[in-house]
Amino acid sequence: MERVIASRIRCPAASGLSRERLDLVLSQIERHRLTVVHAPAGSGKTTALAQFAHGTTIPVAWYTVDSLDGAASTFLAYLQRSIESAIGAAPGAAWLHADAALDALDAFEGPLAIVIDDFHLIAGGQAGDVLAHLVERLPAHVSIAVGTRIQPILDDARLQLMDDVLHIDADDLRFRTWEAEQLLDETWGFVLRPDDVARLTRSVGGWAAGFQLFRLAARDRTPAEQRRLARHASTRSRLARRYLAQHVLGSLTDELRTFLLHTSVLGVVTPDLADDLVGGSGSRAALTQLEASEVFVTRLDVDTYRYHEVLRAHLEAELADELPADELEARYERAAELLATAGFFGEAMRCHVRSGRAGDPARLAQLIDGEIALRNAGMLDALEPAEPSTGDPWLTVVRARVAVASGRFGTACDLYRQAERSLEEHAEARATCRRERSQLEAFLLPDGDGGDGWIGLLRLGLTDAPGPAAAALAQLGTVESTVASGALALLSGDLAAAARRFDAVLLDDDPADWAIHTGRLGRQLVRLLAGDGDAADLTLIDRLLVGLDGTWLGRLGGAVVAAVADPPRPDVARRLAERCAADGDPWGAIIAHLCAAMAVGDDDARRRHFEAAAELADRQHSAVLASSALAGLAPLVPDRSAVERRSRQLARKAGLRQPPLLVLVGADGATDERAPEHLVDGPLQHGTTTLTGGFRLSDRHDAVDALRPRARAVLIRLAVDAGRPVDASALVDELWPDDEATGRRGIQVAVSAIRRALLDDDARRTVERIDDGYLLTVPAGAASDLDRFRADAAIAARSGVPAAERLAAAERALESVGGELLAGCGNPEWLIAARDQFSQHVARTAAAGAAAALTLDDVPAAIRLAELGLEYDRFHDELWRLVVEAHGRRGDTITADRLRRQYADMLDELGLEPATTPFT
């Protein structure tokens, strides 16, 4: 047997911070045949695999590859010694081929994980062939995890298409801001402000080695010097440049290094942009090679790439050393022109400032108009002047808007004032700054009203009237107002309405990236709060939060996730509360304190967070949030009954049945009040196909959510008649009324996309072609809420059925209804007609149930059913008669008289005489 170096089959120590989010991903390794951890140098691949090896309960065979291990015999020798050591077996005869390894693995009956680190050093040779053979025939109780810098690691196309492969990439390994806070504070003992940590995290792009380089540079400095270093962290230090040159760029050809160097100024790179900038034609091939080499180059979509911030900073420093100053400025200005033309206004702004022409107000104004609200809060970090007073006023406007988007409201107000002082000669721009600042201050101040528009309505919803404010926001129809409406519904406990609002965001004709991330994040949070979350949900949520990193929305979403994650993340929520307070954001601080209280296990800490939330909510005059804070606080204080009573009073003041906290999490000591009907019987029950109150076909809905609007419209139309074919001509008439030929082609494209989405969501259904129509299949034993309603409504309408059975059937039918038919799915003509028919059907069913209840002398049931029916059809004569009669039987003549007057007003509205009333 070949000589084996013992240290290379010994698992490294599990150093570094154990991250719950990453641990969740790593825990899936033993459930997959093959796991590929692929990321650039310094991303933390070895650390992550070592943490898995030390954390799992099954034996782990560890093998660190060397560049000389490419021969099959050497690879097998190390693999054999590693496995024998892991399972406690005595050294056996040498494995001469891969089948010998498989025989040995078959003979070992227990579970086993094999970790092969640094496999990129020998990928593609004999060792790669051996690994491919092993993976393809691996026993079910064995898993293999491979750490590598390149992807793919195996040439066998069959292995690339296997379903049982887990991919963990650089984004999974990247440190999130809250994880960086834990690393720097709890693990390494640095004393840094949250905003300093956020700045450092952005500057190194969450790169593990970047934090290590900061640690080496800061460990012997004073706390003040450490904070200053974090605020002005640079990857251009001697240590960083040596690391990047040796471990990242050293393996590239001279041509690829030159290409990287001269295109680094772009930041966002497409083949056309790169070709235009460098005057060449081979950029597409170069970008493809760089992506495959895993050198900090990430593909954003089909033709768009981004260089990692660490790599870009290093390359820009190299380029500055190579080019004369005038050439460098010209390079940046050319990049700014190309980026602006391509629509990348944020990067264009950055290049324009780097070109030395930051004082050109006309050019800056053009770029500001191109992207009025920049979403990336960290984009201009490196451009901020040392003294704010010396900053260009146009850049100050942009920075103010960036600060608003990131939730740094105090900084934003200061920047707006600074811009106003500097824009004396630009009256229109100055007035815009003053208006935006005034709106922001009105939103923040305790006695403010938020001004006009969606910000004012959001302020109203956060204080006294979440229901009406959410409805009014939804009516405005903008993406921002719809997101705000969904957030209000979520905070007030109306999960069904929140789901509809976030669905509406995703149904927008051309939503921006931030809107897509927000809509999907909101939908996932609804599922978690409705008790329908699992590990896949949390993993997806974390990826969505990455898309909102550095924004106010991402901050609030992170706080909610910290409260509902399993296990909860109280330290994350606590830090977010502190950051919000430091940034002058009282609303975010209240929500983060509530989330921290829900996440923490210690009663004293929970009480402190609830008290802090209650104090801030009282200061902001927020009945909604104060009611939640007091509801959580009540079980933790001596005067529980008084605090509970005050909590309920505030909830009723805000138009809510009970404090939202009790609805969302069932806090300890929750009252016995019945939960709102939209939660008890809402549309988000596990495994339910939902067509009322929203649209949902399966537990997972992410691929369907991501369908283009036209394909989603086809799916929705098929879902209404699921199990029955819908004629293609009808689909064309309803969805492509102006162009039959385009409609026919569009249906085929849509159906193909729908089939893929249903498969990705594991919906257990597909779309079948039936003659000249299409049918959405129904899984065995499944039924939609609409199907259940129709079945029970039919029983309730039968005159020969006993009254008790009719009443029970009507109640079951109405319990199946989660709201308006396909709420949040737009307003096409066919759907408007279908909704009218459905509402009338609900009203008829409620009337049948109410009549049966009066026959049985069940007056409360009659009132409940009649009032519910009138919510769907307020012009239904029979329901008015029944509700008046029911109140009369109960002896409530005042209410009966009031209802008669309301009925008369309704008739007057229709232009009918009161004499036509069917009751007196």
Side-chain angles (χ1 to χ4, degrees):
M1 176 179 279
E2 296 199 20
R3 179 173 177 267
V4 171
I5 300 173
S7 62
R8 289 176 46 210
I9 59 171
R10 187 180 304 125
C11 178
S15 60
L17 175 71
S18 177
R19 295 180 273 167
E20 294 171 358
R21 172 191 60 81
L22 183 58
D23 290 343
L24 184 66
V25 178
L26 295 172
S27 67
Q28 301 176 44
I29 289 177
E30 58 194 69
R31 296 196 291 272
H32 289 78
R33 180 185 305 193
L34 174 65
T35 296
V36 181
V37 184
H38 55 96
S43 296
K45 299 182 296 295
T46 301
T47 299
L49 287 170
Q51 288 176 340
F52 158 74
H54 286 279
T56 186
T57 58
I58 68 173
V60 176
W62 184 280
Y63 169 23
T64 300
V65 169
D66 184 87
S67 58
L68 300 178
D69 296 352
S73 58
T74 306
F75 181 74
L76 284 169
Y78 273 95
L79 205 59
Q80 178 178 358
R81 285 290 303 275
S82 172
I83 293 171
E84 288 173 345
S85 175
I87 65 178
W95 296 347
L96 301 179
H97 45 73
D99 285 335
L102 290 170
D103 290 341
L105 292 172
D106 277 326
F108 177 67
E109 298 179 353
L112 174 67
I114 303 170
V115 175
I116 305 174
D117 196 23
D118 288 340
F119 188 76
H120 57 275
L121 295 173
I122 55 173
Q126 293 180 1
D129 294 337
V130 171
L131 181 60
H133 187 84
L134 289 176
V135 171
E136 191 172 16
R137 297 164 178 79
L138 203 64
H141 60 276
V142 180
S143 301
I144 294 179
V146 178
T148 177
R149 294 183 190 175
I150 62 172
Q151 174 73 2
I153 59 166
L154 303 175
D155 296 328
D156 193 320
R158 289 171 297 174
L159 293 178
Q160 295 302 310
L161 297 175
M162 278 191 341
D163 291 331
D164 197 17
V165 179
L166 172 65
H167 291 278
I168 300 175
D169 59 18
D171 186 62
D172 293 309
L173 299 175
R174 185 178 70 82
F175 275 80
R176 303 338 185 212
T177 300
W178 69 85
E179 293 169 341
E181 288 177 355
Q182 289 180 279
L183 176 71
L184 294 162
D185 180 5
E186 299 174 9
T187 305
W188 291 344
F190 291 115
V191 182
L192 300 174
R193 283 171 44 89
D195 55 334
D196 293 336
V197 177
R199 177 76 62 83
L200 174 62
T201 304
R202 289 195 296 270
S203 69
V204 302
W207 182 45
F211 289 108
Q212 289 287 356
L213 293 171
F214 170 80
R215 181 191 185 190
L216 292 174
R219 61 185 176 182
D220 295 326
R221 301 180 182 232
T222 67
E225 291 173 334
Q226 291 170 354
R227 289 192 291 271
R228 186 161 52 252
L229 184 62
R231 284 193 296 273
H232 304 285
S234 173
T235 53
R236 303 174 185 179
S237 67
R238 178 176 52 83
L239 283 173
R241 296 176 79 162
R242 182 190 305 164
Y243 188 98
L244 289 166
Q246 179 178 349
H247 296 283
V248 177
L249 302 175
S251 61
L252 299 180
T253 63
D254 291 341
E255 290 78 8
L256 285 178
R257 281 198 297 272
T258 300
F259 175 83
L260 274 174
L261 182 67
H262 288 279
T263 57
S264 61
V265 298
L266 290 167
V268 174
V269 188
T270 69
D272 289 342
L273 282 172
D275 283 343
D276 288 342
L277 183 67
V278 302
S281 61
S283 298
R284 185 179 303 277
L287 288 167
T288 301
Q289 291 181 59
L290 289 169
E291 182 193 18
S293 300
E294 289 284 353
V295 287
F296 289 77
V297 177
T298 304
R299 185 192 294 262
L300 301 181
D301 58 33
V302 175
D303 268 339
T304 308
Y305 299 78
R306 182 181 291 279
Y307 296 168
H308 192 287
E309 186 62 34
V310 168
L311 177 63
R312 183 171 70 173
H314 170 76
L315 292 169
E316 285 183 310
E318 294 290 318
L319 191 64
D321 291 341
E322 179 178 305
L323 294 180
D326 56 343
E327 281 188 42
L328 185 65
E329 291 176 1
R331 178 70 57 86
Y332 275 111
E333 185 57 29
R334 175 60 176 158
E337 293 173 359
L338 293 172
L339 288 162
T341 302
F344 298 109
F345 296 105
E347 292 292 347
M349 170 74 74
R350 176 184 174 281
C351 287
H352 180 70
V353 175
R354 284 285 174 88
S355 73
R357 293 182 56 199
D360 181 351
R363 182 66 171 141
L364 280 166
Q366 177 187 353
L367 293 172
I368 292 171
D369 289 341
E371 186 163 280
I372 199 71
L374 301 175
R375 302 293 175 184
N376 183 351
M379 187 185 64
L380 297 177
D381 282 348
L383 306 180
E384 292 186 2
E387 295 296 333
S389 60
T390 65
D392 181 273
W394 297 93
L395 279 181
T396 305
V397 175
V398 177
R399 290 193 179 96
R401 290 168 176 165
V402 169
V404 171
S406 64
R408 294 179 288 126
F409 297 144
T411 299
C413 289
D414 291 341
L415 289 169
Y416 275 126
R417 291 191 190 93
Q418 178 186 327
E420 289 171 41
R421 291 192 296 268
S422 304
L423 289 169
E424 293 286 351
E425 299 179 3
H426 301 273
E428 185 176 349
R430 189 174 182 223
T432 298
C433 287
R434 184 181 294 112
R435 183 181 68 253
E436 292 180 11
R437 175 180 57 80
S438 298
Q439 287 180 337
L440 179 59
E441 289 177 339
F443 176 69
L444 298 174
L445 294 173
D447 296 319
D449 60 5
D452 299 327
W454 71 270
I455 294 178
L457 288 171
L458 178 60
R459 179 69 162 79
L460 175 65
L462 288 171
T463 51
D464 296 323
L473 282 164
Q475 290 297 318
L476 289 180
T478 67
V479 174
E480 288 85 356
S481 66
T482 307
V483 168
S485 177
L488 280 181
L490 198 67
L491 288 173
S492 59
D494 191 346
L495 299 187
R500 294 195 297 271
R501 303 290 189 267
F502 292 126
D503 278 347
V505 172
L506 295 169
L507 285 168
D508 189 72
D509 288 339
D510 188 21
D513 286 346
W514 75 267
I516 294 173
H517 289 311
T518 304
R520 296 183 70 193
L521 175 63
R523 207 59 173 86
Q524 289 292 327
L525 292 178
V526 168
R527 293 174 192 174
L528 282 177
L529 290 168
D532 190 24
D534 53 26
D537 278 331
L538 285 173
T539 302
L540 174 61
I541 284 173
D542 185 70
R543 288 185 178 274
L544 293 172
L545 287 172
V546 170
L548 295 168
D549 190 28
T551 68
W552 190 56
L553 291 170
R555 179 185 294 182
L556 298 186
V560 176
V561 171
V564 298
D566 185 15
R569 305 166 180 171
D571 288 340
V572 172
R574 173 181 58 79
R575 289 190 178 93
L576 288 172
E578 294 171 353
R579 187 180 307 164
C580 289
D583 286 341
D585 172 18
W587 299 111
I590 297 169
I591 293 168
H593 274 302
L594 288 173
C595 292
M598 290 186 282
V600 74
D602 178 67
D603 280 352
D604 287 339
R606 184 183 298 126
R607 176 181 52 77
R608 289 193 298 272
H609 281 299
F610 277 132
E611 287 175 342
E615 180 181 350
L616 285 170
D618 182 63
R619 190 183 307 162
Q620 292 299 112
H621 302 162
S622 173
V624 181
L625 297 175
S627 70
S628 279
L630 294 176
L633 182 62
L636 304 171
V637 296
D639 195 5
R640 172 173 180 164
S641 59
V643 176
E644 282 182 342
R645 184 164 57 252
R646 178 58 177 160
S647 172
R648 291 193 295 269
Q649 288 172 348
L650 289 170
R652 285 193 289 271
K653 177 184 176 183
L656 304 172
R657 290 188 181 183
Q658 62 176 332
L661 185 77
L662 303 184
V663 175
L664 294 174
V665 299
D668 292 340
T671 65
D672 292 333
E673 291 185 42
R674 181 173 177 271
E677 292 174 2
H678 64 257
L679 281 180
V680 176
D681 303 312
L684 290 173
Q685 300 171 34
H686 186 77
T688 297
T689 298
T690 300
L691 299 174
T692 65
F695 175 57
R696 181 181 174 89
L697 291 178
S698 60
D699 293 338
R700 284 184 58 193
H701 218 247
D702 308 310
V704 166
D705 286 345
L707 282 171
R708 291 185 177 274
R710 191 79 77 169
R712 186 176 169 90
V714 172
L715 176 59
I716 289 169
R717 178 62 186 87
L718 295 175
V720 172
D721 290 304
R724 297 182 293 274
V726 178
D727 191 76
S729 298
L731 289 172
V732 171
D733 290 342
E734 292 170 355
L735 302 175
W736 284 272
D738 300 325
D739 191 341
E740 180 177 358
T742 299
R744 290 279 180 175
R745 291 193 299 272
I747 290 174
Q748 295 174 4
V749 173
V751 167
S752 177
I754 291 167
R755 287 169 176 162
R756 289 195 302 270
L758 294 173
L759 182 63
D760 290 344
D761 282 339
D762 193 23
R764 297 185 297 120
R765 63 175 76 214
T766 188
V767 175
E768 296 180 353
R769 182 69 183 263
I770 306 293
D771 297 327
D772 193 35
Y774 295 90
L775 176 146
L776 179 64
T777 61
V778 179
S784 71
D785 53 356
L786 186 57
D787 292 331
R788 292 195 302 275
F789 166 76
R790 288 167 174 165
D792 287 319
I795 298 172
R798 294 175 190 163
S799 57
V801 174
E805 293 184 23
R806 282 187 284 121
L807 173 58
E811 290 185 325
R812 287 197 306 273
L814 296 175
E815 285 172 358
S816 299
V817 177
E820 181 184 60
L821 180 67
L822 294 168
C825 293
N827 296 294
E829 290 185 10
W830 73 267
L831 184 50
I832 292 173
R835 282 175 180 154
D836 288 342
Q837 294 173 6
F838 174 70
S839 296
Q840 293 168 16
H841 197 175
V842 172
R844 292 196 303 272
T845 302
L854 287 178
T855 300
L856 299 169
D857 204 28
D858 187 347
V859 173
I863 293 173
R864 184 176 68 252
L865 291 171
E867 290 179 346
L868 178 59
L870 286 170
E871 291 180 11
Y872 284 85
D873 185 1
R874 63 184 293 264
F875 302 115
H876 198 284
D877 285 333
E878 179 67 8
L879 286 171
W880 282 104
R881 184 190 67 77
L882 290 166
V883 72
V884 169
E885 180 182 347
H887 280 288
R889 284 199 195 184
R890 192 164 65 173
D892 187 356
T893 57
I894 295 176
T895 301
D897 288 341
R898 176 175 55 81
L899 290 169
R900 287 191 184 95
R901 289 193 298 274
Q902 289 179 1
Y903 179 72
D905 292 341
M906 184 268 293
L907 291 175
D908 183 61
E909 180 183 334
L910 293 174
L912 302 176
E913 293 295 328
T916 60
T917 179
F919 56 90
T920 60

